[in-house]
Amino acid sequence: MSTAYRVGDYEFSTREVRDLLVAWAALGVAFTIFFAGGGPNVAALLGPSLAVLLGVSLLTAGVAFLLHEIAHKVVAVNYGQVAEFRADYSMLFLAIMSALLGFIFAAPGAVHHRGYLSEREHGHIAIAGPVMNLVLAVVFLPVYLGGVGLNLGLLVLLGQLGIIVNLFLAAFNLVPYGPLDGKTVIAWSKPVWGGTFLLSAALTYIAWTTLDISII
């Protein structure tokens, strides 16, 4: 495995870095279209507004997915695993196509790891992604409050979308279905899964109904 970068104890191969960057860019484009309201509405934002919305999407949804996957990798490596992110290019294409239709289905890929793991260790790796999203939601809270205090619409929007997207991703990924993280977490600890899922879902509802989002 050729290494492009090494950050502390974590190695990222050339292919992994490429896949992470492609997934980040593709999801940024997909969420730009989605936030704009679908394909027909994107044309109305051509120009500076579209560029601003793309930047906001990359910094909110793009970063949310990127750090979610890196969190899985970090915990897996700490348990002695060989772990790498692999993008699913067909799913990235689907994310953009679904956004054009006014909804979004985003499953950019997954961190693949090999080596023996206990059920507890599998659970820790799985829950790392949703926990990262909850942490990011907290990080975006002062961004939102600062934007409100300074009356800066762009900062407000960045904070709003950063909070809502991260809370939603935490809740969504904890659904115990298919390849989502929830199935692995619930197999390890039902109380941990239940508490984290209910917290994420409740905060998502509160943020969605409280924050008055206005796309510029």
Side-chain angles (χ1 to χ4, degrees):
M1 180 177 67
S2 60
T3 302
Y5 299 98
R6 185 179 183 90
V7 182
D9 296 329
Y10 309 106
E11 294 183 352
F12 296 84
S13 70
T14 302
R15 179 180 176 183
E16 184 176 22
V17 171
R18 181 199 65 195
D19 277 13
L20 285 168
L21 291 175
V22 169
W24 180 47
L27 289 171
V29 171
F31 273 90
T32 297
I33 298 169
F34 174 71
F35 290 150
N41 296 318
V42 172
L45 288 175
L46 288 178
S49 293
L50 186 60
V52 169
L53 189 55
L54 175 59
V56 169
S57 298
L58 288 170
L59 291 173
T60 55
V63 167
F65 276 94
L66 193 69
L67 294 186
H68 176 106
E69 297 301 337
I70 290 177
H72 287 314
K73 176 188 175 77
V74 167
V75 177
V77 170
N78 285 340
Y79 280 130
Q81 302 292 289
V82 176
E84 281 203 6
F85 174 79
R86 287 290 178 265
D88 187 328
Y89 288 85
S90 62
M91 294 304 292
L92 290 172
F93 177 77
L94 178 60
I96 294 174
M97 292 298 102
S98 65
L100 287 170
L101 297 175
F103 69 99
I104 193 160
F105 184 84
V111 170
H112 299 277
H113 52 83
R114 63 178 183 270
Y116 174 78
L117 286 170
S118 67
E119 197 169 70
R120 173 176 172 272
E121 290 168 338
H122 273 298
H124 287 177
I125 293 170
I127 203 170
V131 168
M132 172 59 74
N133 290 130
L134 290 174
V135 170
L136 285 172
V138 174
V139 170
F140 276 103
L141 180 58
V143 175
Y144 167 69
L145 295 176
V148 172
L150 297 171
N151 196 27
L152 295 176
L154 180 57
L155 210 56
V156 171
L157 179 64
L158 187 67
Q160 288 173 327
L161 293 181
I163 292 168
I164 289 177
V165 167
N166 276 287
L167 291 176
F168 172 76
L169 284 178
F172 176 75
N173 278 283
L174 284 168
V175 173
Y177 175 78
L180 297 176
D181 300 324
K183 193 172 181 179
T184 303
V185 175
I186 203 171
W188 157 54
S189 172
K190 290 183 176 65
V192 171
W193 171 81
T196 311
F197 177 69
L198 290 175
L199 174 65
S200 302
L203 290 176
T204 300
Y205 175 78
I206 291 170
W208 183 257
T209 55
T210 302
L211 300 178
D212 183 18
I213 296 178
S214 178
I215 300 298
I216 55 177

